[in-house]
Amino acid sequence: MPAADPLRDLGVRLTPDGGELRVWSANASSIELCIFDEKDADWVAERVPLTKGKGDVWSASTPSLQLGTAYALRVDGPDGPTHDFDPDRYLLDPYARGLARTRDGGWRSYVQDTAFDWGGVEKPGIRLDHTVIYEAHAKGLTKLNPELPEELRGTYAGLAHPATIAYLKELGVTAVELLPVHQFVSEQRLTKMGLVNYWGYNTLNFFTPHAAYATREAQFGGTGAVLREFKGMVKLLHEAGIEVILDVVYNHTAEEGRGGPTSSFRGIDNASYYRQTAEGDYIDTTGCGNTLDFGRAVTQRLVLDSLRYWAEEVQVDGFRFDLAATLGRGEGAEFDPAHPLLRAIIDDPLLQGVKLIAEPWDVGMGGWQVGNFPVGWSEWNDGYRDRMRNFWLRDIAQARESGSASEGIGSLARRLAGSNHVFALERGPLASVNFVTAHDGFTAADLVSYDRKHNLGNGENNRDGSNDNKSWGHGAEGPTQDEEIRATRRKAVRNLLGTLLLSAGVPMLTAGDEFGRSQRGNNNAYCHDSELTWLSWDRREWQEDLFEVVKTLIRLRRENPALRPVRYGRWGESTPSASQMDWYNKDGETMGIDDWDSPEERTLQYLAASTPEFEDFNRILLVVHGLETDVTVTLPAHEGVERYTLLWDSGHDDISGIEGVHRPGEELAMAPTSMLLFRAD
């Protein structure tokens, strides 16, 4: 029989006689379990020494470990440049399922009550090709919603409120991707400046939901109340057919750089958990002060155990991995697509069917790894983002200034078709998570309204945030009363979101873009927990019009499988669920080499067909025109196509009057910088 895994069952496991605690440390000389008085989390009621066993796992059992017990670790060990032992510090159990605050702002682990009645509700199991992701902040999404009771605004319960679910259902998204909801804290630097870490990329513990997003009733509701509220949110979203994806931050922790707040890993075994030189300097590939060392089995197991917990115990449907290139760095800190952790996540039997999305870069050497993750992973496609922004914004700005754009239609077409020049054939277009905006950067409305960032409110003299936004204010910086500019900006947003929702791949929509939310030009609003970042539900007519456009685009994507290929097509082959696309220029003729490469050629027609496997046969024609001039387009003649029925025209604010049936060979006058979508029958 194979030997038992010494890394199994780390953390607390309850037994009939109390509980057992198991902690890993290769370099500690002693570990002590401190159990606190049930009425005073600052008073140690019992001290229990742990014994070191196989695989550097320390353990102890005591009847005092029960549901609701608050506890901490005290760890001692040798001196040395890579160590940071202090037997007087109280440390968190890395596997703690619950956390509690003390009067002085410290933290204690506590034994969590995980009981919950799921009532037979199961995961929706939405196929990846049907997935439309809605990236949102758990607090910011509902904080200002007047349809919610005040006590539920900005909470997990508020996200699961019928009004919120009705909004998401009406919009048509299939998954909510929540910015980090693992328990996190603000960095010391921000606290001193009077700011906070609003986004949450500063994890304190990988097994507990962030308590501040729960209702006050849950926060003061005793053992497990916050977790039950979180599970209740998942349950109600699942009942509505909406999946829950978590943005998870395993690449670094809230302990920051050397000299930062030591709360757990650094005090338990700094030399093992964090990448560092022999002199004790951290090797930081995250830009956050520290980097967990995924060349070690214990950190790999930590991530797997956390993922299993959230996927099984909490029933979440997927994960988006922040700075995922860090998770694929081995002993030499170099990225390896076959890294044991990346493979183990895919192969884990408890994670089958879970959606896995990589942010495929970090700030270390060789940190940009787009297209290099294994089969089974999807990736944020920043090349898609940049090309769409350039095509609809910077190229048009350049053409206005100089008379011609820098690039033509070819590079846009590759992105529309699923970026097959980036992702391996066996991975297919669903490896690409397409986006034009995300939490990090300009909103869609700000992309078309500002030439430059406006981040003075972040306290860093406008140095933070990207300077390369590929944005364009269309002749004004920020708000303007010029109605012509405002109308052009609205159309630019429709074009950006139209390409996003009509491209092959998995679209991700940033919450608020569907109604033109602005952050007043701040492209790095991570430190603002205020109305700057919360979604406003007080909207003007043009915002309601934009919402209707986005809702329609999502519906059209759902109804037309030709927009959602599962596989890349092979030349000359008809593969089920593969992309089959024919490309035409503005004259309705098959695209030639000159059409692809010329920067003057900014008009494209592509006819995409689905091949039946899961759904009925379907064909669409998408026409894209990327210059501020009128153009006459001849609809292409294509075998089997008798008519083109207009489904959407980006040139209109109001979509209610869009209609029309046209014939192959018919000429159409197309407005400047616009898109048309037809069903081809």
Side-chain angles (χ1 to χ4, degrees), residues 211-467:
Y213 295 160
T215 58
R216 287 183 60 83
E217 180 181 2
Q219 291 184 48
F220 295 99
T223 304
V226 171
L227 179 60
R228 284 194 295 274
E229 183 174 314
F230 192 98
K231 289 180 176 180
M233 173 195 72
V234 174
K235 177 181 177 179
L236 290 172
L237 287 168
H238 282 178
E239 281 185 332
I242 299 172
E243 295 186 321
V244 179
I245 298 172
L246 302 187
D247 193 335
V248 288
V249 189
Y250 293 116
N251 55 80
H252 74 283
T253 76
E255 293 187 305
E256 304 183 30
R258 293 302 292 263
T262 299
S263 57
S264 185
F265 298 100
R266 181 181 291 130
I268 294 172
D269 196 338
N270 183 62
S272 297
Y273 279 110
Y274 293 118
R275 289 196 182 277
Q276 52 191 302
T277 67
E279 293 75 31
D281 297 322
Y282 278 172
I283 301 172
D284 183 8
T285 67
T286 68
C288 300
N290 66 68
T291 302
L292 285 171
D293 185 354
F294 293 107
R296 296 181 181 272
V298 67
T299 45
Q300 296 173 25
R301 182 59 179 266
L302 175 72
V303 171
L304 285 171
D305 286 344
S306 174
L307 294 173
R308 292 165 179 165
Y309 175 76
W310 290 96
E312 290 292 298
E313 178 65 38
V314 192
Q315 288 289 288
V316 302
D317 305 277
F319 304 94
R320 179 268 188 190
F321 295 79
D322 179 64
L323 300 181
T326 293
L327 277 66
R329 293 184 181 272
E331 292 183 6
E334 296 179 352
F335 179 80
D336 178 7
H339 189 284
L341 178 56
L342 300 183
R343 294 299 323 171
I345 293 172
I346 298 170
D347 296 337
D348 193 307
L350 297 180
L351 298 177
Q352 298 307 297
V354 171
K355 293 177 171 64
L356 304 173
I357 301 169
E359 183 186 39
W361 52 77
D362 62 16
V363 300
M365 289 291 292
W368 191 79
Q369 294 293 334
V370 180
N372 292 333
F373 276 68
V375 173
W377 286 81
S378 297
E379 303 175 31
W380 273 25
N381 189 346
D382 62 335
Y384 178 96
R385 173 201 64 198
D386 292 348
R387 187 63 200 118
M388 295 307 162
R389 291 183 180 189
N390 276 332
F391 184 84
W392 290 117
L393 300 175
R394 294 309 312 160
D395 287 357
I396 295 173
Q398 179 177 326
R400 182 184 288 189
E401 295 167 1
S402 65
S404 64
S406 59
E407 283 194 72
I409 204 74
S411 57
L412 176 83
R414 286 193 294 271
R415 301 296 180 178
L416 288 172
S419 300
N420 64 354
H421 62 299
V422 176
F423 301 100
L425 180 66
E426 62 270 21
R427 297 184 65 190
L430 300 181
S432 178
V433 174
N434 300 329
F435 64 107
V436 293
T437 69
H439 66 276
D440 184 3
F442 278 142
T443 67
D446 287 353
L447 267 180
V448 305
S449 303
Y450 293 90
D451 290 339
R452 57 189 180 274
K453 66 187 182 185
H454 294 264
N455 293 0
L456 286 174
N458 298 355
E460 299 184 46
N461 294 318
N462 214 41
R463 292 189 300 268
D464 66 304
S466 175
N467 294 315

Side-chain angles (χ1 to χ4, degrees), residues 85-337:
F85 293 108
D86 182 348
D88 294 326
R89 279 192 303 229
Y90 292 126
L91 302 171
L92 293 174
D93 171 12
Y95 278 74
R97 301 301 200 262
L99 298 181
R101 295 298 296 268
T102 63
R103 287 191 298 269
D104 63 0
W107 294 88
R108 301 285 184 263
S109 307
Y110 74 85
V111 183
Q112 178 73 284
D113 180 2
T114 61
F116 185 78
D117 181 7
W118 289 98
V121 175
E122 298 181 350
K123 296 182 180 183
I126 296 170
R127 293 209 317 261
L128 195 55
D129 60 310
H130 281 260
T131 296
V132 178
I133 298 171
Y134 189 71
E135 189 199 38
H137 190 281
K139 177 179 181 179
L141 179 61
T142 64
K143 180 63 177 176
L144 298 178
N145 190 343
E147 294 190 36
L148 272 61
E150 186 173 355
E151 66 272 15
L152 299 187
R153 297 174 193 171
T155 69
Y156 301 127
L159 208 157
H161 187 273
T164 309
I165 290 177
Y167 177 81
L168 296 172
K169 293 291 288 183
E170 181 183 4
L171 182 58
V173 296
T174 68
V176 175
E177 180 178 303
L178 297 177
L179 269 64
V181 293
H182 290 171
Q183 183 65 58
F184 65 87
V185 294
S186 294
E187 294 87 340
Q188 293 177 319
R189 174 184 60 85
L190 290 177
T191 301
K192 291 177 182 177
M193 295 169 60
L195 298 171
V196 297
N197 187 322
Y198 172 66
W199 288 348
Y201 293 89
N202 201 45
T203 307
L204 184 69
N205 175 273
F206 298 123
F207 292 87
T208 54
H210 189 62
Y213 295 160
T215 58
R216 287 183 60 83
E217 180 181 2
Q219 291 184 48
F220 295 99
T223 304
V226 171
L227 179 60
R228 284 194 295 274
E229 183 174 314
F230 192 98
K231 289 180 176 180
M233 173 195 72
V234 174
K235 177 181 177 179
L236 290 172
L237 287 168
H238 282 178
E239 281 185 332
I242 299 172
E243 295 186 321
V244 179
I245 298 172
L246 302 187
D247 193 335
V248 288
V249 189
Y250 293 116
N251 55 80
H252 74 283
T253 76
E255 293 187 305
E256 304 183 30
R258 293 302 292 263
T262 299
S263 57
S264 185
F265 298 100
R266 181 181 291 130
I268 294 172
D269 196 338
N270 183 62
S272 297
Y273 279 110
Y274 293 118
R275 289 196 182 277
Q276 52 191 302
T277 67
E279 293 75 31
D281 297 322
Y282 278 172
I283 301 172
D284 183 8
T285 67
T286 68
C288 300
N290 66 68
T291 302
L292 285 171
D293 185 354
F294 293 107
R296 296 181 181 272
V298 67
T299 45
Q300 296 173 25
R301 182 59 179 266
L302 175 72
V303 171
L304 285 171
D305 286 344
S306 174
L307 294 173
R308 292 165 179 165
Y309 175 76
W310 290 96
E312 290 292 298
E313 178 65 38
V314 192
Q315 288 289 288
V316 302
D317 305 277
F319 304 94
R320 179 268 188 190
F321 295 79
D322 179 64
L323 300 181
T326 293
L327 277 66
R329 293 184 181 272
E331 292 183 6
E334 296 179 352
F335 179 80
D336 178 7

